[in-house]
Amino acid sequence: MKYSDKNKPLVCMMTQSTCYKQTRKMEIKGVLWHSTGANNPMLKRYVQPDDNASNKDALIKLLGKNSYGNDWNHTSVEAGLNCWIGKLNDGTVTTVQTMPWDFRPWGCGSGSKGSCNTGWIQFEICEDGLNDKDYFDKVYKEACEITAYLCKTYGINPKGNVNVNGVTVPTILCHADSAKLGLGSNHGDVLHWFPKFGKNMDTVRNDVAALLGESSDTPSKPTEKATLYRVRKTWADSKTQKGAFKVLANAKACADKNAGYFVFDEKGAVVYPTKAEDTKKESFLFRVSISDLNIRRGPGTDYLATGRFTGKGTFTIVEVQEGKGSTKGWGRLKSGAGWISLDHGEVV
């Protein structure tokens, strides 16, 4: 596999877009493929860094500059995807992540039965003239690679199914599939392109499974039979349950947001927080040493800033987690205002 925890895709978070600003988090169920429907394989057409991004110049050098200002990192665009696949400025085909994976995309629209926007990580493949086999082979392989990475990260069975509003939905599908199921708007991508080169969504599922080390002829196993992790105050108190999650990471995130809650497996055993993890939740005083320390909505620079700063002073931290952009971890403020980096101060 190309991607792993140690080799993640290029990141260019488009936080100026309407989708990024207004969407919400979701429980991840699968991956949904799109293609752009326009003859332009360059990522710069759609993906550009924020105006104030600290690495803006480096990203522009990689992506190229969109001189027309018609990229998707604007409030005028009422759509948003988790990542894009296409050519960098030097012609290299790659993936660029543009929203956190658990941010609900505005990609496939809605149908009579609902929408795959809730639960499916979505990406666009930049189309060319649909007649270049070399380009197709490269973007197809890249799309399989990022899908395999996401399946491994979130415990998705690439040949599985989930139930949505009474509809059986493949964990991996395309926009055209979602429309046929009544869970997306009427679009034909990617099936107007892939058959030209002998590919379809069945070959996608087989190829992703092969990247994960599974046999391509392994029968599909419905993911709804996987272990469910329940978030409750106690195992016996089922009325306090906040949800039942197929992905442990999603269950942990739910427990973290609700003080006094734990994650239980199907036998009622506590799987999170463990004693070691629970020690990180003891409160302590932390003295902030800078006046403009950002407060963020979650533990990491990949979470949006709230627009507020702590100022210098002493604050009570009630939880610590590791996260992007901090070597000492992130602390959750007792006030509920959000999270701060513990790189900028000291424990009192």
Side-chain angles (χ1 to χ4, degrees), residues 183-334:
L183 294 165
S185 58
N186 187 22
H187 280 258
D189 55 310
V190 297
L191 299 183
H192 67 298
W193 183 14
F194 281 29
K196 294 176 183 288
F197 299 98
K199 299 294 185 181
N200 55 43
M201 294 311 293
D202 285 331
T203 63
V204 166
R205 297 177 192 108
N206 285 336
D207 291 341
V208 170
L211 285 171
L212 292 167
E214 301 175 15
S215 170
S216 62
D217 58 1
T218 300
S220 173
K221 296 179 181 179
T223 56
E224 61 264 31
K225 292 183 179 179
T227 298
L228 288 177
Y229 298 99
R230 292 171 170 82
V231 179
R232 303 175 179 177
K233 285 187 174 181
T234 67
W235 177 249
D237 192 359
S238 60
K239 292 182 179 179
T240 65
Q241 182 165 303
K242 293 291 184 181
F245 300 86
K246 299 181 182 71
V247 179
L248 179 57
N250 292 335
K252 287 182 176 181
C254 179
D256 287 340
K257 292 177 182 177
N258 295 277
Y261 278 76
F262 298 85
V263 179
F264 298 88
D265 64 18
E266 291 184 325
K267 294 181 179 180
V270 175
V271 296
Y272 179 80
T274 61
K275 290 183 178 180
E277 290 163 329
D278 209 24
T279 61
K280 295 182 179 180
K281 296 193 175 185
E282 295 179 359
S283 63
F284 58 89
L285 295 177
F286 184 79
R287 183 180 295 117
V288 174
S289 59
I290 62 175
S291 59
D292 58 351
L293 181 59
N294 266 316
I295 300 175
R296 294 188 175 273
R297 296 181 183 176
T301 52
D302 46 354
Y303 287 85
L304 289 174
T306 63
R308 298 171 61 189
F309 303 93
T310 59
K312 292 183 179 180
T314 301
F315 302 86
T316 301
I317 302 299
V318 295
E319 181 181 350
V320 174
Q321 286 194 27
E322 295 179 356
K324 183 177 179 181
S326 177
T327 59
K328 295 182 179 178
W330 292 83
R332 182 163 62 88
L333 295 167
K334 183 179 180 180

Side-chain angles (χ1 to χ4, degrees), residues 8-147:
K8 296 181 179 181
L10 177 65
V11 175
C12 180
M13 293 295 180
M14 299 207 291
T15 62
Q16 292 172 183
S17 68
T18 299
C19 180
Y20 198 108
K21 291 174 180 289
Q22 297 184 12
T23 193
R24 63 181 186 272
K25 289 194 173 186
M26 64 180 182
E27 179 189 350
I28 295 168
K29 298 181 176 72
V31 184
L32 190 149
W33 294 32
H34 296 266
S35 60
T36 56
N39 184 1
N40 191 337
M42 304 305 294
L43 285 163
K44 68 180 181 182
R45 162 63 181 85
Y46 306 96
V47 180
Q48 291 285 271
D50 289 354
D51 295 334
N52 298 315
S54 61
N55 60 341
K56 177 182 177 181
D57 291 342
L59 287 170
I60 289 292
K61 185 176 181 180
L62 285 170
L63 294 164
K65 183 173 177 58
N66 184 326
S67 302
Y68 301 98
N70 60 350
D71 56 272
W72 283 33
N73 197 12
H74 299 283
T75 56
S76 59
V77 179
E78 295 289 328
L81 287 303
N82 302 95
C83 64
W84 292 75
I85 295 170
K87 289 184 178 181
L88 293 171
N89 204 33
D90 65 0
T92 302
V93 169
T94 196
T95 299
V96 182
Q97 183 183 1
T98 50
M99 288 202 307
W101 300 124
D102 61 351
F103 272 33
R104 182 183 184 272
W106 295 356
C108 67
S110 299
S112 60
K113 301 293 181 64
S115 176
C116 282
N117 281 342
T118 302
W120 272 261
I121 297 170
Q122 297 180 36
F123 60 77
E124 289 272 5
I125 305 172
C126 296
E127 292 184 14
D128 63 350
L130 308 186
N131 54 11
D132 184 340
K133 185 177 186 303
D134 181 64
Y135 177 70
F136 175 81
D137 288 344
K138 288 178 179 178
V139 293
Y140 177 83
K141 185 176 187 303
E142 182 68 21
C144 288
E145 290 282 4
I146 191 62
T147 301

